Amino acid sequence: MSIPSRWLGAIVLFGLMQAIPATAEDPDDTRQLLETRKCAKCNLRRADLSFADLSGVTLKKADLYEANLSGTNLSHTDLRQANFDRANLEGANLEGADLRQANLTLANLSDADLTGANLRETQLEIARLSGAKLDDADLSRANFRNVKFDRASLLNANLSGADLRAADLSNADLNGANLSGTYLWDANLEGARLTDVNLCGATLPNGTVSQQGCDAN
C-alpha cells in the first residue's frame, strides 16, 4: 500500500522528533541557581556543575537527570524529592544534605561524603556508593536494592527498615549501625565490619530473621 505524499513529511518529522534526546538543562534555571542559590523544581537535566560550590542551596524537586556533579560541594543543601537519576556525584560533598524521598536510581556516588545526610525513603536502586562515607546518616526505609556499598563507611548509620536486597556491602564498615528490620536477602556482607550492630528483625542474606539486638529494644 502506498503512503499519500501529504503524509510523508509528517512521518519524517515524527521520526526526527523521536530521535531528539530528552530535554536538556534550561540556561535560565542554571543562571538562577548560581545567582540566587535557590532553584526549586528547576530543569538542570544534563547540566555540568562539576566542582561547583553549591553548599546550602535549595534544589527541592529539581530535575538533575544525568547531571555532572562530580566533586561538587552540596553540603547542607535542600535536595528533597529531587531527581538525580543517572547523575554523576562521584566525590561530591553531601555532608548534612537533605535528600529525603529523592531519586538517585543508577546514580554514581562513589567516594562521596554523605556524613550526617538525611536519605530517608530515598530511591537508590542500582546506585554506586563504593568507598562513600555515610557515617551517622539517616538511611531508614530507603531503597538500596542492588546498590554497591563496597568499602563504604556507615558508622552509626540508621538503616532501619531499608531494602538492601542483593546489595554489595563487602568490606563495608557498619560498626554501630542500626539495621533493625532491614531486608538483606542475597546481600554480600563478605568482610563487612558488624560490631555492635542492631539486626533485630532483619531478614538476613540466607532468609532467616535475626534476633540480634532485640534485647536492647
Side-chain angles (χ1 to χ4, degrees):
M1 183 177 106
S2 61
I3 300 174
S5 58
R6 65 178 181 275
W7 291 106
L8 288 176
I11 292 170
V12 171
L13 178 60
F14 178 78
L16 289 171
M17 290 177 65
Q18 292 298 99
I20 294 174
T23 307
E25 66 177 300
D26 185 331
D28 290 336
D29 284 355
T30 304
R31 190 177 305 110
Q32 177 185 332
L33 170 63
L34 297 176
E35 291 178 357
T36 71
R37 306 186 71 78
K38 294 181 180 179
C39 207
K41 298 183 180 180
C42 280
N43 173 15
L44 299 165
R45 295 169 67 92
R46 298 193 175 92
D48 186 357
L49 296 164
S50 55
F51 298 99
D53 182 5
L54 300 177
S55 56
V57 302
T58 297
L59 283 166
K60 184 179 179 182
K61 294 184 179 180
D63 188 356
L64 292 117
Y65 172 84
E66 284 192 348
N68 182 7
L69 295 152
S70 59
T72 300
N73 184 358
L74 289 160
S75 59
H76 305 287
T77 46
D78 184 354
L79 305 172
R80 288 172 292 166
Q81 300 176 31
N83 178 30
F84 290 94
D85 185 12
R86 295 172 172 79
N88 181 13
L89 291 142
E90 184 175 7
N93 180 4
L94 289 147
E95 183 177 356
D98 191 346
L99 285 147
R100 282 175 289 172
Q101 298 182 343
N103 177 22
L104 288 139
T105 303
L106 287 164
N108 180 11
L109 289 143
S110 298
D111 299 313
D113 186 353
L114 292 121
T115 302
N118 190 341
L119 289 92
R120 183 178 175 84
E121 298 181 344
T122 299
Q123 295 293 322
L124 291 109
E125 192 163 2
I126 325 178
R128 280 175 286 170
L129 284 148
S130 302
K133 188 175 182 181
L134 298 113
D135 300 345
D136 300 305
D138 185 353
L139 312 171
S140 56
R141 304 183 66 82
N143 180 4
F144 293 112
R145 294 184 68 173
N146 296 289
V147 167
K148 291 185 67 64
F149 276 113
D150 55 299
R151 301 177 292 101
S153 179
L154 296 113
L155 292 168
N156 303 308
N158 179 12
L159 289 136
S160 59
D163 189 346
L164 289 153
R165 283 176 283 183
D168 181 4
L169 289 152
S170 58
N171 299 305
D173 191 344
L174 290 150
N175 288 340
N178 180 6
L179 289 160
S180 60
T182 55
Y183 297 92
L184 289 155
W185 176 263
D186 205 29
N188 180 7
L189 291 164
E190 183 178 357
R193 293 179 285 286
L194 298 161
T195 303
D196 297 324
V197 168
N198 182 356
L199 285 162
C200 180
T203 303
L204 301 179
N206 61 5
T208 61
V209 178
S210 173
Q211 297 300 311
Q212 180 180 322
C214 293
D215 294 339
N217 294 334

